Amino acid sequence: MAAAAAPAPAARRGTLVCASLMARSSREMAAEVAAAAALGADAAELQVGCINGFQPRRDLPVLLAQPRPLPVIVTYRPKWEGGQYEGEDEPRFEVLLLAMELGAEYVDIELKVADKFLNFLSGRKPEACKLIVSFHNYEYTPSVDELLSLVDQIQATGADIVKIATSATEIDDVSRMFQVLVHCQAKQVPIIGLVMKERGFISQVLCAKYGGYLTFASLEKGKESAPGQPTVADLINKYNIRQIGPDTKVIGIIGNPVSHSKSLTVQNQAFRSVGFNGVFLPFLSDDLVKFLKTFSSPEYVGFSCTMPHKETAVRCCDYLDPIARDIGAINTIVRRPDGKLAGYNTDYTGAISAIEDAIRASQPIDPTTSPLARRLFVVIGAGGAAKAVAYGAKEKGARVVIANRTFARAQELARLIGGTALTMAELESYHPEDGMILANATSVGMYPNVNGTPLSKEALGNYSIVFDAVFVPKETRLLREAAECGIKVVNGLEMLARLVVVQFEFFTGGMPAPQRLIRDAIMTNTQ
Ligand SMILES: O=C1C[C@@](O)(C(=O)O)C[C@@H](O)[C@@H]1O
């Protein structure tokens, strides 16, 4: 078979974004290559084993017809390495050889049979085609030593590009892959080093910082070829992967869950708008202490903490803002130039200023005193967010009342801040005076349990302002029912917009936040 004129592989411009395609027919897959190109991908991986009734001599010419929108990797994965192909090696090798002859820019072969494949080829590999020799571990990520030994074994086969894809059982596993990427970069070994599964997600983005040759992405949500894979659009538009390089600072939100966080879109957009060389990532972690120990290098400059870490985070910091210390919960950690960690609470400022602004907007008030001064301020909840809101209100001179499902926790928080405690049953008929403010600082009413509400509609009539820290959905049942009673409501997005502005300034070392952009993005983005 005559070799088709193969286009040169894409000129290297940082880590390549490769759409991994698993369409059921060659026509559909060819259309997906065009779609990936339109989204801005640099390459496409054709998983030909996914094509129903795959016939190499019929399907490969369709897939590899010139002109092609993108350089391609042809992968024909056997079942024993997580793929679809069940037959003998030889027919599979024939397919890969045909792909090379038809001008595929890359062909992928598994380490286990790489020597056998090269024997089979016996010099027939066209010069322009690069051989990726791959190793997959679908269960865990081995030690750094084991990974480096795999790199050596793969290199020894004569591979043009080393590929190692492992699996994360915890986010900390990814740091071992980063060490391997750094090692390979120093030795100028082209490597694709990725950690699959949700907890490995950051590897798919940060490989660009550590010099990975290529990262895989799906064409759209639901079409992932490996668990935890981002979409092409998210890598390029949300995480700004084209801007990520060795000097890029890493910031992110630590918690579980984190993928819902609006900060992911908003902070990255804000960073880009002011030219800050940083990326904001989801750090899905159940163990904050371990996470901070693992990702302790100076370029990891800041962290937003969310559930369940806001209280543990206090113990992880070398320095605490005095109000954050009183609250006993923080949501922001900044790594100082000396490496020490400083903790702050921007929930408190976000929530309180959102409520103050709403009161100020509806009635003329002396600007020198807080509109919360002397008001009766009822907080529902006794966790980290509740502590922040309660301390904030107290600091502004409000008389604070805490109500919580577990009454003992309400009493504890009330004692701490110098307020009073109520049971939830007492709260239903609590109306010592008019003009009270209600703040929900529990997760009741949060998606997906949107029918939940912390207080009955009948009891809401006792308040003049109702605030909900929940922001998914924007209008919780609590706020909807309060509005139906004609009460002024303040939603959690108002708090979020304010706290994200403050976090931005911490993370960027004091750059003025693009407030309008942050506000608009928070109010309009669904994610
Ligand atoms: O409550 C929030 C919102 C948040 O969890 C987010 O999703 O951006 C980030 C936290 O730091 C903050 O306290």
Side-chain angles (χ1 to χ4, degrees):
M1 163 100 26
R12 289 279 284 139
R13 46 166 171 150
T15 300
L16 302 176
V17 173
C18 178
S20 186
L21 307 178
M22 303 183 75
R24 303 272 173 232
S25 76
S26 50
R27 301 233 166 262
E28 199 187 318
M29 199 176 274
E32 288 193 349
V33 176
L39 287 170
D42 304 300
E45 180 185 43
L46 312 179
Q47 302 238 24
V48 295
C50 297
I51 293 172
N52 284 337
F54 178 53
Q55 288 180 31
R57 294 198 176 270
R58 177 197 66 187
D59 293 320
L60 282 182
V62 174
L63 289 168
L64 299 172
Q66 295 286 9
R68 265 202 305 281
L70 288 177
V72 296
I73 302 172
V74 173
T75 300
Y76 197 9
R77 193 77 71 223
K79 250 212 156 101
W80 49 259
E81 186 91 350
Q84 299 77 19
Y85 179 78
E86 291 196 80
E88 296 297 314
D89 285 336
E90 195 99 339
R92 193 165 68 90
F93 291 172
E94 294 281 4
V95 169
L96 295 176
L97 174 60
L98 178 61
M100 287 176 168
E101 289 171 345
L102 290 171
E105 288 78 2
Y106 305 89
V107 158
D108 179 307
I109 190 75
E110 303 73 30
L111 171 62
K112 223 185 254 173
V113 292
D115 288 335
K116 193 171 165 193
F117 181 55
L118 281 151
N119 270 337
F120 162 86
L121 285 178
S122 62
R124 288 179 289 170
K125 179 175 95 65
E127 186 71 23
C129 181
K130 288 185 190 285
L131 188 65
I132 300 173
V133 175
S134 60
F135 172 88
H136 300 82
N137 183 324
Y138 294 99
E139 275 156 35
Y140 65 97
T141 300
S143 68
V144 173
D145 284 347
E146 286 168 294
L147 291 171
L148 290 175
S149 147
L150 276 168
V151 171
D152 289 344
Q153 289 171 53
I154 292 176
Q155 274 202 284
T157 65
D160 295 304
I161 298 161
V162 174
K163 175 184 168 187
I164 302 179
T166 61
S167 300
T169 53
E170 52 183 11
I171 191 168
D172 311 76
D173 296 339
V174 179
S175 77
R176 299 201 289 286
M177 189 60 82
F178 290 162
Q179 289 178 57
V180 172
L181 290 181
V182 168
H183 169 94
C184 287
Q185 200 177 21
K187 303 239 176 241
Q188 298 194 323
V189 176
I191 179 170
I192 302 167
L194 298 169
V195 185
M196 301 178 283
K197 302 209 174 151
E198 198 181 1
R199 281 158 204 270
F201 177 86
I202 64 167
S203 74
Q204 318 259 355
V205 182
L206 285 182
C207 60
K209 176 176 171 67
Y210 299 108
Y213 184 88
L214 174 153
T215 187
F216 290 103
S218 68
L219 198 56
E220 55 195 66
K221 274 208 167 72
K223 285 196 169 176
E224 295 79 12
S225 69
Q229 212 167 53
T231 61
V232 171
D234 275 356
L235 276 184
I236 295 175
N237 305 325
K238 183 166 168 180
Y239 294 107
N240 305 324
I241 193 164
R242 304 290 187 212
Q243 273 71 50
I244 297 178
D247 298 331
T248 300
K249 297 200 162 53
V250 184
I251 302 112
I253 174 163
I254 315 173
N256 186 4
V258 284
S259 61
H260 68 284
S261 172
K262 280 178 179 269
S263 294
L264 297 166
T265 303
V266 175
Q267 291 287 17
N268 281 310
Q269 241 174 291
F271 290 170
R272 178 146 66 177
S273 81
V274 301
F276 175 66
N277 184 9
V279 60
F280 190 97
L281 291 166
F283 295 131
L284 178 63
S285 171
D286 298 311
D287 188 340
L288 178 69
V289 176
K290 186 167 183 200
F291 175 89
L292 291 173
K293 259 195 200 130
T294 305
F295 295 94
S296 61
S297 54
E299 64 262 46
Y300 287 71
V301 295
F303 307 101
S304 173
C305 296
T306 193
M307 288 190 303
H309 299 317
K310 288 183 178 182
E311 284 157 301
T312 314
V314 169
R315 297 199 302 275
C316 298
C317 291
D318 305 290
Y319 164 84
L320 278 180
D321 174 76
I323 298 178
R325 176 179 296 118
D326 284 346
I327 292 171
I330 62 172
N331 70 330
T332 308
I333 301 177
V334 179
R335 189 183 310 283
R336 294 176 158 185
D338 63 2
K340 299 257 190 272
L341 297 178
Y344 304 90
N345 191 306
T346 70
D347 285 333
Y348 135 79
T349 19
I352 295 301
S353 62
I355 300 168
E356 283 182 327
D357 289 351
I359 300 175
R360 286 202 179 100
S362 62
Q363 60 192 87
I365 279 179
D366 170 7
T368 58
T369 57
S370 168
L372 300 185
R374 293 177 299 283
R375 300 282 287 263
L376 199 53
F377 193 108
V378 177
V379 178
I380 305 180
K387 270 187 195 162
V389 175
Y391 261 96
K394 184 78 187 174
E395 209 229 348
K396 298 288 183 179
R399 291 167 291 138
V400 180
V401 174
I402 312 288
N404 191 52
R405 220 172 31 191
T406 310
F407 183 58
R409 293 198 69 199
Q411 286 178 304
E412 196 183 314
L413 179 53
R415 200 165 39 244
L416 214 58
I417 59 159
T420 46
L422 292 179
T423 64
M424 288 305 291
E426 285 168 335
L427 188 62
E428 283 294 329
S429 54
Y430 185 67
H431 189 191
E433 63 190 53
D434 289 338
M436 298 192 299
I437 299 166
L438 179 71
N440 174 42
T442 70
S443 57
V444 176
M446 192 192 320
Y447 178 85
N449 303 316
V450 294
N451 281 328
T453 188
L455 196 60
S456 72
K457 189 171 176 181
E458 293 66 50
L460 295 180
N462 299 334
Y463 297 87
S464 66
I465 287 226
V466 174
F467 163 76
D468 200 337
V470 171
F471 54 82
V472 185
K474 176 177 174 181
E475 188 183 57
T476 56
R477 179 172 163 195
L478 174 71
L479 294 187
R480 190 179 66 243
E481 292 183 345
E484 283 164 6
C485 298
I487 294 158
K488 182 153 196 59
V489 297
V490 182
N491 66 54
L493 290 181
E494 293 291 344
M495 165 185 175
L496 185 68
R498 287 164 178 80
L499 78 86
V500 165
V501 162
V502 183
Q503 287 188 320
F504 174 96
E505 295 180 354
F506 276 126
F507 296 149
T508 58
M511 289 174 95
Q515 295 200 24
R516 167 81 18 218
L517 179 151
I518 289 176
R519 186 177 176 78
D520 289 350
I522 284 181
M523 296 300 165
T524 56
N525 273 332
T526 49
Q527 258 250 313

